[in-house]
Amino acid sequence: MKIALTINNVKKEVEISPSEFLLDVLRRLDYMSVKKGCDTGTCGVCTVLMDGKPVLSCSVLAASADGHEITTIEGLSEDPEFKAISNALLEEGADQCGFCSPGLILNVYAMKKELKNPSEEDMKKYLVGNLCRCTGYVPQMRAIKKYFEVKA
Amino acid sequence: MIEIKEYYRAKSVEEAYEKLMNVEGAEIIGSGAFMRLSSRKINLAIDLQEAGLNYVKIENNEIRIGGATTLGEIEKNEIIKESFNGELVKALQAIWSVQLRNIATIGGTVFPRLGFSDLITVLLALNTDIVLYNNGRMPLEVFLEEKIRKDIIVELIIKKENRKLSFQYMRNSFYDFSILNAAVSVDENKDFRIAIGARPGVASLAKKAMGYLKENDDIEEGAKIAAEEMTYGSNIKGSKEYREMIAPVLVRRGLEEVLK
Amino acid sequence: MKEVKSSIKKVDGYGLVSGKPVYTDDLAPKNSLVVKILRSPHAFAKIKNIDTTKAEQLDGVECILTYKNVPRNIFTRAGQGYPEPSPYDKYILDEYVRYVGDEVAVVAARDEYTAEKALELLEVEYEILEPVLDFEKSKGSKSIIHPEKDYQSESFVSSDPKNNIAATYEMSIGDIEKEIENSDVVVKDRFYTQAQAHVMMEPHAAYSYMDMQGRLVVVTSTQVPFHVRRILARALGLPIKKIRVIKPRVGGGFGGKQAIHGEPYVALVTLKTGKPAKVYYTRKEVFESTYTRHPMRFDVTIGADKDGRIKVIDVRGLSDTGAYGEHALTTFMVAGSKVLPMYNKVKAVRFGGDVVYTNHPPAGAFRGYGAIQANFAIESAMDMLAYKLNMDPVKLREINMIRENETSPIFKIMGEGREGVDMIVRSCKLDECVEKGAKKIDWENKFKTKKEGKKVKGVGMAIAMQGSGIAKIDMGAATLKLNEDGSFNLLIGATDIGTGSDTILSQIAAEVLNVPTENIIPYSSDTDVTPFDVGAYASSTTYVSGNAVRKAAEKMKEEIIKAGAEYFEVPVEEVEFDGKEIKTKDNKITLQKLAEILYYNENQKQLSATGSYVGEESPPPFMAGYAEVEVDIETGKIDLLNYVAVVDCGTPINPNLAKVQVEGGLAQGIGMAMYEEVKYDKNGRLLTNNLLNYKIPSRVDIKNLEVELVDSYEPTGPFGAKSVGEIGIDTPPAAIANAIYNAVGVRIKDLPITPEKVLKALKNK
């Protein structure tokens, strides 16, 4: 079947199978920032924004994304918020293997739009679906707190 | 492997129901959350996102939530935020992740009557009715006991009684399903509702304890009665014995909190 | 020091955070055949027949592999030094399947859907055998897991497959029985650790293709590209020169990628079809069919006099290597060699036991590598000893622990698989770690605080050591190449798997050459291009590969000076290089200009330098870990309120990256201590085979980690550095167990420490 997706502000018509999930379609279309990590909606490395909201692309049927707007990290490369978040992570050395980074950054990006003056606990709960095995989360949280402080 | 032959986006509940009944191997799907956990063959996947079931509203002192509304939309809704001392929002925010709540619908969460569900426990402790397209309106506790397989949740109706709610759960990691959960609510008439879930079976109401607490003030005893009127089992998250040990604790803590 | 001891950003950081296609699966050719593996539903069975006819007839299926049509060369998947300390007990595909998840057959098809369909069409007949599912009953069991005739191991590995033993080890110093008898206080107990899963975020992935010379190229997410090349050559029966292994960016490893996994399957598909082929493990496959940490059991006896002077430590171990003996002997030896030397004042010490096969998923390398298992047992027992002596556990450590310029006889006796290396610990700030940590957590007050109420707080501590590479075995090399603009390529076999080693090694080169790190362009690792290096394991990169880089850079400096001397026609003694300019008394020229002249104008030649390094010793990093917990006595729920880690890793080259190594290690150790439960059903099928059921710590669970690196200098390390990759993981299990005991008086001796175990122990108190 054919679906229409707006990916990073570009409209695309894509031929898909009804069994396909958004994650696999995005990777097929070369949006390689969207990673495959767990197949069960847990690890968060496949996070993308759908109509501005963070979702797990491994758990969204591509067909049900028909007509929606998708944002991946590739679409944010010039965005000042992306630059500020990623720079904060880099300064803390919180980018280790990097596999969870695009998903985490997208979720931080969404969190910034949604939460006003979140506490550290609020932030952790918002980001709990982004697992990381390299950093113990601590340097990531240092970076994210700094990013929120500077911007506030 | 998930195999879906055809996908159909219904424009109304009527249409969705008609397809569900007339196409063999048709299923209502949420977005696809947790779908990959098992191998499945679906001839027709019916998507309800455009069927007009996306809302949270108040009518006749009842909160009505459309069956295709996502948990994420519900937790952000002002009506929900202002109700039940904010505890319903807190309970929703303890469910898995932001990314999952943005795709999981309330209908998709309630309909399968999954044992580990936190939301069903909370909704039970609030006075919730469920409206099914074919089977009509019924209390949630009735729905949980009926063996309805093919139907569509049109909406959930939570009575806007002035209930104070407490949701208690035991998890080892925060980011997990509950080993056991309990929800307690009480209104001004001291009408308690107590539900215990993830036992690991799906939540049910502790009716004996609810009756006892109508007449008595002994919370400790009420919690004990609630815990004892349930059955428990073992699964990967915890043993029967452990669940039995913590059930009265969670209920008592819930009662203490709503009576504070 | 300008470039080292500096927290510069990772050189590859921006590429990673902006989602560039740099991991294995991102890079695989679009036309790659998709490889899927049929896996055993039985814990132990013999394949009577595989009928592939129906699958072969499916349109789009290009290749099917079974034990009947693959090379039958016995090998080990484990990526270690050579000769290999792991037994040869594995075939690419075998007629026996030895655990639920073992490989039965391989299908390659034009897409994933077709490959999965083909798997469903394979018809396999099994003869089900009696599995061994309890490692305490494996030795001498009637079921022999490895009956194959060509099973073999090196002479220093005492395998006994007929008794299901992959390896045994025994060592003893002094008279154990006499010292126990002469001790005033003796503690004796049994401890268990579980089969932790690595859960690196990127699953195992590999793809392969033939190059234009007809050589096999394998691109893989690995920690050990050179070992992969050697193992593949053996398994496939190809000369090493016919294989090239490339490691792109790797999404985490932790030891889980220190072996071959899908590589032989894609390679064989490519060899048979001539086409590119790729494999990407599902998370379920990562859990069920790669390998885990070795579960171990320890019986620990410690004797001390009444003043707390430890006289004897006796440790009897049993390790479960699962279906294959990967790292069987070496992890077991490390359990002794990286824990026991901490208590170097004992009169007698003994360590020994068996590593047995079972029909569970194999065990293998995992950060901490035996040390964390024994650390839990021994540091728990130390705590028990302290309480028995009525002595502060901190004081007990202070009386008995190793100090700077001391040694332990164990260093010489126990290496990895073989004899070790005698050494004096030249840098050891363990005393400072213990003291600082106690202050930071406010031990003095919190340890003694009266424990009351429904939520009770307590503190516990443990100390740990690790190594820095494997002395006399692990080798690293680096090549520096001067470019015409005065920049340098740094070619390293060392394998950055997310740790930042490309950055750290660049900093070391920059420091020696006195150039900015941005002028060093690191490239790792490609067996055709970069020099040899054993890879990222055994806490070796900063120390071993770092020393190789240091040597290469020193040589490069000499080369530059030599070229300057030739240019100015003066003796080399009269030439200096300060990083920017090459100077004599009267003349000077910039490096950039000299490079340009060298490559285009006069006396043309390429300047390059290679340095290699093998450690003569393996200086241990040390740490003290302090945990503060709060236990809910009504539910058993444990909140880890705070974890303080004070670490001596020598002088950190990049303090930020060193600290993150510790923080990440701590969280992984906390996971092993509290969350990561492993469960099988009665038939040996892993139940905790996805991230819904196997819980690594989440962001909310990790409350407060405080890491401090003490000021230390290791004279044999590059710019004073020791390793830091593993040490962070070692202390949490014991420190948390000890803190729970301090809070509520129950001691949990089997990991993980779950609320259920704590509550049950409280009820039985």
Side-chain angles (χ1 to χ4, degrees), chain C residues 566 595-607:
Chain C
E566 279 169 24
E596 191 189 300
I597 291 168
L598 276 177
Y599 295 164
Y600 291 112
N601 305 123
E602 277 173 43
N603 192 19
Q604 280 96 326
K605 68 173 166 193
Q606 169 71 50
L607 296 196

Side-chain angles (χ1 to χ4, degrees), chain C residues 85-106:
Chain C
S86 296
Y88 297 123
D89 58 6
K90 172 91 186 151
Y91 301 100
I92 292 175
L93 292 169
D94 192 9
E95 59 189 319
Y96 283 95
V97 283
R98 297 181 173 83
Y99 66 97
V100 177
D102 207 351
E103 297 88 5
V104 173
V106 172

Side-chain angles (χ1 to χ4, degrees), chain A residues 3-16 21-34 47-52 57 62 65-77 106:
Chain A
I3 59 166
L5 294 173
T6 304
I7 307 172
N8 302 330
N9 294 322
V10 179
K11 277 205 172 130
K12 298 208 170 185
E13 291 235 319
V14 194
E15 186 64 39
I16 61 151
F21 284 83
L22 181 59
L23 164 63
D24 303 296
V25 171
L26 289 172
R27 285 188 65 81
R28 188 148 57 74
L29 296 173
D30 264 342
Y31 297 97
M32 291 295 186
S33 71
V34 192
T47 300
V48 299
L49 305 182
M50 186 153 90
D51 306 328
S57 65
D66 187 9
H68 293 277
E69 283 188 28
I70 307 296
T71 309
T72 71
I73 278 289
E74 284 91 345
L76 292 184
S77 57
L106 283 166

